[in-house]
């Protein structure tokens, strides 16, 4: 009974697995839609979570945008041949769409980066980080390379996995994890948490 319930109400709605033999594609159904929603949420927060350090917000977005432009430009020639061989028209349009949207996005981000670089004259805040993250997600979704975007955002993924214990309350989270500025040396020092003196850690160890 449980196997029937699992197949009928969970596996089949999520992965109905319609295969298109002409294009070699697999329809993941509802699971793909859930992944697209999660991608949009992740991209906006992944850019925003690293905000506060001069040039980091605009800098990481500019690097990712340039990587998307380069990848799409390389794939355009291959996509054109794919369209001819398999009589489809989507591949070229997808990469043209990505280049068309990312070129002005990258150039305006570069102009912003000039004044956001240390010492910053402009602080972008949530307005830019949410817009930038969603722009990257929209391009990846509509141009059909969401997995490639995750590879380009590998540092953000690593930061997310390292933060999971703090996000779920398994490990104490400092009020702000940004580095502190030492005016005597002019250097930035990483924020640290004294685990031995933390009442949170002692309570967790006691239980």
């Amino acid at each position: 009974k449980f196997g029937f319930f699992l197949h009928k109400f969970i596996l089949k709605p999520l992965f109905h697995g319609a295969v298109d033999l002409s294009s070699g594609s697999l329809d993941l159904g509802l699971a793909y839609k859930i992944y697209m929603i999660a991608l949009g949420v992740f991209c906006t927060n992944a850019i925003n979570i690293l905000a506060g350090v001069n040039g980091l917000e605009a800098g990481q977005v500019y690097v990712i945008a340039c990587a998307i432009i380069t990848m799409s430009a390389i794939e355009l020639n291959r996509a054109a041949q794919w369209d001819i061989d398999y009589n489809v028209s989507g591949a070229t349009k997808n990469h043209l769409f990505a280049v068309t949207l990312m070129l002005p996005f990258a150039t305006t981000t570069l102009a912003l980066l000039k004044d956001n670089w240390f010492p910053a004259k402009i602080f972008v805040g949530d307005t830019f980080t949410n817009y930038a993250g969603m722009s990257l997600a929209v391009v990846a979704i509509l141009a059909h390379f969401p997995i490639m975007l995750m590879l380009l955002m590998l540092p953000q993924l690593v930061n997310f996995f390292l933060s999971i214990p703090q996000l779920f309350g398994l490990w104490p989270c400092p009020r702000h994890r940004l580095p502190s500025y030492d005016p005597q040396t002019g250097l930035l020092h990483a924020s640290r948490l004294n685990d031995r003196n933390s009442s949170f850690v002692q309570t967790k160890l006691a239980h």
Side-chain angles (χ1 to χ4, degrees):
K1 293 182 178 179
F2 177 75
F4 172 78
F5 174 83
L6 182 66
H7 174 75
K8 182 71 174 178
F9 298 101
I10 298 179
L11 295 179
K12 190 174 181 180
L14 286 178
F15 306 96
H16 51 73
V19 180
D20 185 359
L21 297 178
S22 62
S23 62
S25 61
L26 173 66
D27 186 0
L28 296 177
L30 184 59
Y32 184 75
K33 296 179 176 64
I34 294 176
Y35 174 66
M36 293 301 98
I37 295 173
L39 181 66
V41 174
F42 171 78
C43 288
T44 54
N45 286 278
I47 301 299
N48 189 39
I49 199 66
L50 296 176
V53 180
N54 293 171
L56 189 55
E57 310 102 312
Q60 62 180 331
V61 171
Y62 177 71
V63 170
I64 295 173
C66 288
I68 292 176
I69 294 171
T70 304
M71 178 199 69
S72 296
I74 294 173
E75 290 294 327
L76 272 175
N77 185 36
R78 187 180 304 174
Q81 189 62 41
W82 178 279
D83 293 347
I84 296 173
D85 294 341
Y86 296 94
N87 194 26
V88 293
S89 59
T92 301
K93 291 181 180 178
N94 292 338
H95 292 295
L96 280 175
F97 169 78
V99 172
T100 302
L101 196 60
M102 284 290 100
L103 274 176
F105 177 75
T107 52
T108 52
T109 301
L110 180 61
L112 174 65
L113 180 60
K114 179 179 179 295
D115 288 328
N116 186 237
W117 198 260
F118 180 85
K121 300 177 183 178
I122 295 177
F123 298 95
V124 295
D126 294 342
T127 303
F128 173 76
T129 55
N130 292 336
Y131 148 74
M134 188 55 68
S135 297
L136 297 175
V138 167
V139 167
I141 292 171
L142 297 182
H144 302 290
F145 52 83
I147 304 300
M148 180 59 69
L149 180 61
M150 287 293 95
L151 293 177
L152 295 176
M153 299 188 72
L154 190 60
Q156 287 79 3
L157 277 173
V158 172
N159 180 69
F160 169 72
F161 286 118
L162 291 176
S163 303
I164 286 179
Q166 295 176 339
L167 294 174
F168 289 96
L170 303 177
W171 197 256
C173 181
R175 182 176 179 273
H176 212 296
R177 293 180 294 171
L178 291 177
S180 58
Y181 174 71
D182 187 350
Q184 295 181 351
T185 61
L187 301 176
L188 296 175
H189 299 282
S191 60
R192 297 185 178 182
L193 179 70
N194 191 338
D195 297 341
R196 295 181 179 179
N197 296 331
S198 173
S199 59
F200 182 95
V201 175
Q202 292 176 359
T203 303
K204 288 290 183 181
L205 293 176
H207 292 284

